[in-house]
Amino acid sequence: QVQLVESGGGLVQAGGSLRLSCAASGRFLWIKEMAWYRQGPGKQRESVAVINSSDTSINDGSTKYADSVKDRFTISRDNGKNTVYLQMNSLKPEDTGVYYCNMETYDLSGTRHNAWGQGTQVTVSS
C-alpha cells in the first residue's frame, strides 16, 4: 500500500507563488508517473501537471501541463525522496482549489498501483 502526504498549500495574493510537495511512502519498487490534479469550487477534478519517468536514476522525465498553467507552473521530482513538487508562480484567483497528488507505482511483482493524496487547499485572493 502506498501513502501520499501533501504539503505547501495556503493563502496567497494574486501574482504570488506557492510550492507544493507530495511524498510517497509504503511498499513499492518504483514510481513511474507523478501528477498533480486540482478541483476548484463547483468544478470537476482536472489534471494540472504530469511527469513521467522510466529511468529513476535521474530526477527528470517527460512533462505535460494543462494549457491554463503552462509557463506558470513547473512540476519536478526527486526520486531519492519519492517526492514530487509543483512550483506555482504568477498565481491567479482561478487557480484556487484543492490540489491532489497522484502517483503510479509498481511493486516487486510488477503490479501497477495508483494512489491519491488527501489534498491541500490553495486559495488565491484577488
Side-chain angles (χ1 to χ4, degrees), residues 4-49:
L4 305 182
V5 178
E6 300 145 345
S7 60
L11 173 64
V12 64
Q13 288 188 332
S17 299
L18 283 174
R19 188 192 193 208
L20 305 182
S21 301
C22 175
S25 62
R27 295 182 177 183
F28 55 89
L29 182 60
W30 66 294
I31 305 171
K32 184 179 186 297
E33 181 177 288
M34 299 179 174
W36 288 96
Y37 288 73
R38 70 184 179 189
Q39 187 165 14
K43 298 180 180 179
Q44 290 188 330
R45 190 175 299 190
E46 61 175 351
S47 175
V48 176

Side-chain angles (χ1 to χ4, degrees), residues 6-22 35-39 46-50 65-66 68-76 84-101 119-125:
E6 300 145 345
S7 60
L11 173 64
V12 64
Q13 288 188 332
S17 299
L18 283 174
R19 188 192 193 208
L20 305 182
S21 301
C22 175
W36 288 96
Y37 288 73
R38 70 184 179 189
Q39 187 165 14
E46 61 175 351
S47 175
V48 176
V50 180
Y65 296 91
S68 59
V69 307
K70 280 180 181 177
D71 300 323
R72 298 189 298 123
F73 291 10
T74 302
I75 189 170
S76 61
V84 62
Y85 305 96
L86 185 68
Q87 178 66 44
M88 306 185 292
N89 298 328
S90 302
L91 282 161
K92 304 175 181 180
E94 50 263 45
D95 294 318
T96 294
V98 179
Y99 283 68
Y100 297 91
C101 171
T120 184
Q121 177 70 44
V122 171
T123 303
V124 184
S125 63

